[in-house]
Amino acid sequence: MSNNTARFSLTEDWTVVVFGFLIIVLALVGIKIPSPVFAWENSAELAEKVLNTTNLINVGKLFLWVYVIAILATKALGKEVNATIKGFPIVFILTILALVLAGNSFLKNWNLEAVIFSLSIGLVISNFSNVPDWLKESLSTELFVKIGLVLLGTSIIFGDILKAGSLGLIQALLVVVSVWYFAFWIAKKLGIDEEMAIMISSAVSICGVSAAIATAGAIKGDSKKLSYVISIVLITAIPMIIFMPIIAKALGLSEAVTGAWLGGTIDTTGAVIASGSLIGEEALKISTIVKFSQNVLLGLAAFGISIYWTYTNNQSEVAKESKPTLGIIWERFPKFVIGFVAASLLFSFFISGDVISEVKGGLKSLQGLWFALAFTSIGLETKFADLFSSEGKKPLYAFLIAQGFNVLITLVIACFLFN
């Protein structure tokens, strides 16, 4: 029996491609993915919008979606499913609590995303109580993250760069390339290991949380390092949202230049929109378009990083002793990146805009849920000391220096292109 299971099991990367595309296909053929409401402003809205019967039923339907997929994916990997059957509902409930907290309008204004709440909830539980072994066995962080990444591909639409025009695309390319290499260089100068350096560089230069998650998946990065980077990204974004519009006004920058500056420096799309809206319509439009252009580059960056990492680091001892061949590179290449890029190409060039409009809400809901489930899992298996003390302050310094360079170089480029 066990031999048969092993014979038909899939690798983790191919498993997430299969189940990621299963979700996409089901959505495209008309099976509606529930999208519960988590946004609320006060206790009355919490009761009326989030805790009402209809919304709770949608949460239940969403649970069934991810529960069945988690069980089937565990089975496809050739693993025992009992731990998943028992433990996954606990992880889901904790994650829903995080989504409800993140849905509060006050916390949203401070750009506190769901992943930081799911991570925090998991950390509190793991550090102040004993997580039972059966629950630990159900935590499939890599599986959850990578399924979310395949679904993320559906929102990376190459057509968005056409909306930006040549100026938006030129700025995105210049910023991503220059800031990525500067961040990587400064991280290495500070003695930070290459794995952490690559995650920091992608987070600063491309699109914050999503870029860090995609890069960690591409290089099979340590989840604790990923949590550290994401914590820095989210904390740093808060003062940038507040002070960059004030600085832009003090410098007398036009709305177009301000929008391009905000879109190229603030690391999350939601934060860009929040900050751009403080300036005006034109600033909001240009900042969003520039950020879209950088987001589109995420797929290309993840693909390139995967090839680099596979060729230089992700090799067996035998491969290290010989010249790497295309076969060896393919064997070690993280296959989930293929699913990510394929989903992006599918939604960019083969699916109509009307269909995308119908399915994007549900897919976005599931994508965010898989990421949040992953960070709840990371929190449950991590101690505070592991999250921060192991890396010290050097990654924080590297991130802040790189972000400072990002702010300055993007301002120069924005003034040159949009003034």
Side-chain angles (χ1 to χ4, degrees), residues 34 36-37 48-61:
V37 174
E48 293 171 7
K49 293 183 177 180
V50 180
L51 301 180
N52 68 70
T53 304
T54 302
N55 200 55
L56 291 177
I57 289 173
N58 281 333
V59 170
K61 290 178 180 177

Side-chain angles (χ1 to χ4, degrees), residues 138-312:
S138 72
L139 305 177
S140 301
T141 302
E142 290 290 317
L143 181 71
F144 300 159
V145 163
K146 290 176 181 178
I147 291 178
L149 284 168
V150 172
L151 297 181
L152 176 64
T154 65
S155 64
I156 306 297
I157 308 300
F158 284 86
D160 286 334
I161 54 178
L162 299 178
K163 300 174 186 176
S166 58
L167 295 181
L169 179 56
I170 290 169
Q171 175 174 312
L173 286 169
L174 290 174
V175 168
V176 168
V177 173
S178 60
V179 174
W180 197 98
Y181 278 103
F182 177 84
F184 187 74
W185 174 79
I186 200 68
K188 297 295 287 182
K189 281 289 184 182
L190 290 173
I192 297 169
D193 66 87
E194 192 169 49
E195 183 181 316
M196 175 70 95
I198 290 177
M199 282 191 265
I200 289 173
S201 302
S202 297
V204 174
S205 63
I206 307 175
C207 53
V209 173
S210 296
I213 293 173
T215 302
I219 64 175
K220 301 183 185 298
D222 187 332
S223 62
K224 295 181 181 65
K225 294 178 182 179
L226 174 60
S227 297
Y228 187 104
V229 173
I230 287 177
S231 298
I232 296 173
V233 168
L234 295 174
I235 292 169
T236 306
I238 294 171
M240 291 179 72
I241 295 170
I242 298 169
F243 292 110
M244 285 187 68
I246 296 173
I247 294 170
K249 289 180 180 178
L251 293 174
L253 301 179
S254 68
E255 282 202 23
V257 171
T258 302
W261 188 36
L262 297 175
T265 51
I266 297 178
D267 289 320
T268 64
T269 303
V272 167
I273 293 171
S275 194
S277 63
L278 296 175
I279 302 296
E281 285 297 321
E282 186 180 8
L284 176 60
K285 177 183 175 183
I286 292 178
S287 64
T288 305
I289 286 171
V290 168
K291 181 52 65 179
F292 276 161
S293 297
Q294 286 186 229
N295 289 349
V296 169
L297 295 177
L298 173 59
L300 300 176
F303 191 78
I305 289 168
S306 298
I307 293 176
Y308 165 77
W309 190 260
T310 301
Y311 195 86
T312 59

Side-chain angles (χ1 to χ4, degrees), residues 306-312 314-315 319 323-335:
S306 298
I307 293 176
Y308 165 77
W309 190 260
T310 301
Y311 195 86
T312 59
N314 192 20
Q315 300 172 17
K323 184 177 180 180
T325 63
L326 288 176
I328 291 172
I329 290 175
W330 170 251
E331 177 188 346
R332 301 293 172 179
F333 187 80
K335 309 301 189 299

Side-chain angles (χ1 to χ4, degrees), residues 3-11 15 74-79:
N3 290 336
N4 290 338
T5 302
R7 188 180 306 140
F8 291 107
S9 65
L10 293 169
T11 64
T15 297
T74 302
K75 189 71 175 175
L77 288 168
K79 297 179 179 179

